[in-house]
Amino acid sequence: MELHEIHASAVTIEVTDEQTGETFRRELPIDFYETANLLRLRGEDLNGNPSELVFLSGTGIDRIRGLMGNGPDEDPCGSHSKNP
């Protein structure tokens, strides 16, 4: 089975303190969603309002550029040729 999306309703964060070298792990109630185009984290702000962060991958940025007319003049897979 080929994986195209990753979903989770919680994430585990692992950090190592720079001063002591001690590692800490925390599970946080953050919705996680990832594809080849982006990684999205959803949660709540301090007031309980919905909040999200979206990080675009290189592939995602290239696709957005293409949609805005700033992409390459030829398609990357070669299957959209103007000449049949």
Side-chain angles (χ1 to χ4, degrees):
M1 183 175 113
E2 192 172 333
L3 187 62
H4 295 283
E5 299 178 333
I6 302 170
H7 295 264
S9 59
V11 299
T12 302
I13 303 291
E14 182 175 288
V15 298
T16 302
D17 182 69
E18 292 177 355
Q19 191 171 23
T20 65
E22 192 172 354
T23 300
F24 301 90
R25 293 173 57 103
R26 304 286 185 262
E27 186 169 307
L28 304 172
I30 296 173
D31 290 329
F32 178 94
Y33 177 72
E34 182 179 3
T35 67
N37 298 320
L38 62 89
L39 183 149
R40 182 182 64 210
L41 302 173
R42 283 187 179 166
E44 295 181 348
D45 66 14
L46 291 174
N47 296 316
N49 298 316
S51 183
E52 71 179 26
L53 292 171
V54 176
F55 302 91
L56 296 174
S57 67
T59 302
I61 290 172
D62 289 343
R63 288 182 176 164
I64 288 175
R65 285 184 183 139
L67 288 171
M68 296 175 65
N70 296 321
D73 290 334
E74 296 179 13
D75 68 290
C77 63
S79 64
H80 303 288
S81 174
K82 292 180 182 179
N83 300 323

